[in-house]
Amino acid sequence: MNHPLKALSDSLTAPWWSHLERDEFAMPRCLDCGRWHFHPQPRCPHCGGTSVVWQQASGRGEVYSFTVVHRAPSPAFATEVPYTIGIVATEEGPHLMTRLIGIAPDAVRIGLAVRICIGPMIGDGPPLALFQPDPDRASGLACPAS
Amino acid sequence: MSSMILGARSQARIVGVGESPLGKVPDLSALQLQQAAAQAALDDAGLDWSDIDGLLTTPVRVANWAMPCGVVAEGLGIRSPRYLATLDVAGASGTAMVHQAAMVINAGQCDTVLCVAGQNLLTHSARADAVKQMAEGGWAHPQFEAPYGPLIASLYALVAQRHMHEYGTTPEQLAEVAVAMRAHASLNPLAQKRTPITVDEVVSSRMITSPLHVLDCALVSDGAAAIIVSRADRARDLRRRPVEILGQGYGFSHAYVGPYERLTATGAADSGRAAFAMAGVRPAEIDVAELYDCFTITVIVELEDLGFCAKGEGGAFVQGGRIALGGALPVTTHGGLLSACHPGLAGGMFHVIEAVRQLRGECGERQVRDARLALAHGNGGVIGIHCTLILGTD
């Protein structure tokens, strides 16, 4: 698959995209200290180790913070406003920015249980790591992006 | 080992400050704005272009300068500098430039260093373009953050939302910061926005990215700033009372905000601790604090992390005009990025300029009485990088 975001990728970040293409949510994990991190870095931010592998993660987490965007940063997002950008604290530890879907912007709360939903955010766009309310821990929802 | 490490007094003094016309200045390019600011600082100091033997500047967004310090040196006719460099620590560049100029002086490399930066950011692009350019400027990680569609303001909104969750900070408390900055700008003839505003007006202004309204966000401006740092023995013979850097510190926590796990705690705690320790003073002794104010939440976390109040109490601290002139701690008395001027990386230089003028007693209607100790603070990235200066007069 070729898309503009994948074209930005390099040897450090390419596994993120190749996992998403396989419908997998993976993050780097250090074999020296066992801890996960994100974004990918040349050295483990926890212990400085360089034996880092990508492992599939649970895809579960909770909303650490969020913002509802009312003014699009560029014309590409103009038809989507308002939308909710979140930071999710994953079960494995790392925090990551994402789009929160399957929930009205004014219903989002910090602490909301969420789970991964891999799919395009716009039309035929590339698969992204989106998050939605967790059907096991909240009201059940189909993944709107798949 | 340098004498500075042994505790000898710094020989560097701020001897001149100045700015170009600010706000909307459609008839001047970035280089012309910088020339105007540098000339104003030279006039302020009583120096001539030929006295400048060092140059520090920052990158600009409006022009494709591969080598900004070279472009500026050539444009301003600084023909044989003994030191020149382009500095970029994002929003902390304003305070960091002045500190690094002082290091160059104390190293004996130069006698007089010109710090100058600025651009016609407002005129260069329609506001929509400026927002788009900034959104694509790399503040959000191009692969892991930008695809989800954040504005720069969204990245700060994430901090604000978390701060509200952890500490009960309210939109009205955020608005108090904008109100104080506008009140200060109303007393600053150079400021871009001078009409006073109320808390109600801020919280009912257009929502940009919750919880931040348009009046919680900085301006986009045309303008340039210049600060001249020279040696104490030369400073004695110049026009203005010299201002000394009594302490400085840096703090860094993260390049990108998404992975940062302590969203309400900033590197200002480190930069402030180092600056206060070096100066040998406490936060309560500061007469005026020129804090970087790209968004209202920025000022609240800086007040906490610099030690002006306890963590989580920044919202209460700014209420009731306590950071306005006449309050317990006047903050950002020129009106800041929120109401006076924000032309990009030069924005934080105006905070240093205002601190210098407060210490010299030149601020007229907005003068803080008997201001002897001033703090100037720069914040860069998304609360990720910080440089604090504590300034005093001889």
Side-chain angles (χ1 to χ4, degrees):
Chain A
M1 185 188 293
N2 287 305
H3 59 72
L5 294 173
K6 197 178 175 191
L8 295 173
S9 74
D10 56 29
S11 55
L12 191 63
T13 64
W16 170 256
W17 298 107
S18 49
H19 278 283
L20 288 177
E21 283 172 14
R22 295 196 297 270
D23 204 30
E24 296 167 359
F25 172 60
M27 294 188 291
R29 188 174 190 184
C30 176
L31 296 176
D32 293 332
C33 72
R35 294 182 67 182
W36 302 73
H37 62 268
F38 193 76
H39 306 156
Q41 305 292 0
R43 300 175 66 218
C44 168
H46 306 296
C47 77
T50 53
S51 302
V52 174
V53 297
W54 287 75
Q55 284 189 7
Q56 284 195 63
S58 67
R60 286 189 295 270
E62 64 177 48
V63 174
Y64 175 75
S65 193
F66 69 95
T67 179
V68 181
V69 181
H70 293 267
R71 187 205 199 289
S74 68
F77 294 98
T79 60
E80 296 178 65
V81 290
Y83 52 81
T84 309
I85 287 174
I87 294 174
V88 167
T90 64
E91 212 170 62
E92 289 78 11
H95 289 196
L96 76 166
M97 195 174 289
T98 186
R99 183 75 71 87
L100 297 174
I101 59 170
I103 181 168
D106 61 4
V108 176
R109 296 289 180 269
I110 287 175
L112 177 74
V114 290
R115 69 180 306 163
I116 190 80
C117 172
I118 297 169
M121 199 170 68
I122 312 174
D124 58 354
L128 296 177
L130 314 176
F131 280 79
Q132 62 174 351
D134 190 334
D136 295 334
R137 295 179 284 167
S139 58
L141 290 165
C143 180
S146 59
Chain B
M1 186 181 285
S2 82
S3 59
M4 287 302 294
I5 293 171
L6 294 173
R9 190 171 175 187
S10 168
Q11 291 304 302
R13 297 292 183 276
I14 298 170
V15 299
V17 297
E19 61 275 281
S20 70
L22 308 178
K24 187 160 181 63
V25 191
D27 53 342
L28 294 180
S29 72
L31 212 45
Q32 289 172 313
L33 289 166
Q34 293 196 22
Q35 190 275 337
Q39 184 67 63
L42 287 167
D43 293 346
D44 182 57
L47 286 167
D48 188 77
W49 288 101
S50 60
D51 294 312
I52 301 299
D53 63 354
L55 175 69
L56 278 163
T57 190
T58 71
V60 296
R61 196 184 295 123
V62 302
N64 185 23
W65 296 351
M67 183 176 64
C69 64
V71 174
V72 172
E74 186 168 86
L76 273 51
I78 298 165
R79 300 195 189 284
S80 48
R82 291 196 280 174
Y83 174 84
L84 73 169
T86 306
L87 179 74
D88 184 357
V89 280
S93 297
T95 44
M97 282 169 97
V98 174
H99 166 243
Q100 297 196 16
M103 286 201 296
V104 172
I105 299 291
N106 282 318
Q109 182 68 30
C110 293
D111 292 329
T112 304
V113 177
L114 169 65
C115 305
V116 62
Q119 59 189 327
N120 49 340
L121 192 60
L122 177 59
T123 296
H124 172 71
S125 38
R127 171 122 191 170
D129 287 345
V131 169
K132 179 173 183 291
Q133 284 179 24
M134 282 186 268
E136 292 172 355
W139 302 108
H141 191 287
Q143 292 175 66
F144 303 129
E145 299 179 340
Y148 306 108
L151 299 152
I152 291 178
S154 305
L155 307 176
Y156 278 86
L158 292 162
V159 176
Q161 191 78 253
R162 184 71 197 180
H163 201 278
M164 290 166 66
H165 173 78
E166 289 185 15
Y167 303 117
T169 309
T170 66
E172 289 76 15
Q173 290 172 333
L174 295 173
E176 290 265 11
V177 175
V179 169
M181 295 309 103
R182 185 61 63 88
H184 297 165
S186 77
L187 302 176
N188 178 0
L190 299 173
Q192 188 172 340
K193 297 279 188 185
R194 301 191 61 201
T195 307
I197 52 176
T198 65
V199 166
D200 279 350
E201 285 171 328
V202 177
V203 299
S204 60
S205 68
R206 190 159 55 100
M207 185 66 84
I208 299 295
T209 178
S210 66
L212 299 181
H213 307 82
V214 67
L215 290 175
D216 287 296
C217 304
L219 305 170
V220 175
S221 312
D222 300 328
I227 299 168
I228 299 173
V229 183
S230 190
R231 272 205 331 262
D233 58 331
R234 295 169 63 92
R236 276 196 295 273
D237 302 328
L238 298 179
R239 195 169 282 163
R240 305 291 183 196
R241 192 182 342 170
V243 169
E244 181 175 358
I245 302 169
L246 302 171
Q248 83 277 327
Y250 291 82
F252 171 76
S253 54
H254 60 279
Y256 298 105
V257 78
Y260 183 51
E261 294 176 18
R262 299 182 305 127
L263 208 44
T264 57
T266 78
D270 293 328
S271 68
R273 192 181 303 113
F276 281 113
M278 184 174 171
V281 300
R282 293 173 290 108
E285 296 176 75
I286 297 294
D287 298 306
V288 58
E290 309 296 349
L291 304 184
Y292 198 86
D293 58 318
C294 50
F295 297 94
T296 50
I297 183 62
T298 317
V299 172
I300 287 176
V301 294
E302 286 168 345
L303 285 165
E304 295 170 351
D305 291 341
L306 291 169
F308 291 110
C309 61
K311 193 71 211 170
E313 294 180 2
F317 188 88
V318 303
Q319 281 186 287
R322 295 191 68 219
I323 63 167
L325 283 161
L329 178 70
V331 168
T332 312
T333 47
H334 63 301
L337 309 166
L338 285 164
S339 283
C341 186
H342 192 11
L345 294 188
M349 295 180 74
F350 296 103
H351 299 68
V352 181
I353 290 174
E354 178 72 4
V356 168
R357 288 179 175 151
Q358 287 286 353
L359 292 170
R360 292 173 176 173
E362 297 172 350
C363 288
E365 279 189 284
R366 61 177 199 282
Q367 179 64 44
V368 174
R369 192 184 302 170
D370 298 329
R372 290 192 186 85
L373 274 178
L375 179 146
H377 182 84
N379 154 84
V382 183
I383 66 163
I385 189 161
H386 297 262
C387 178
T388 307
L389 303 178
I390 294 174
L391 306 175
T393 48
D394 283 348

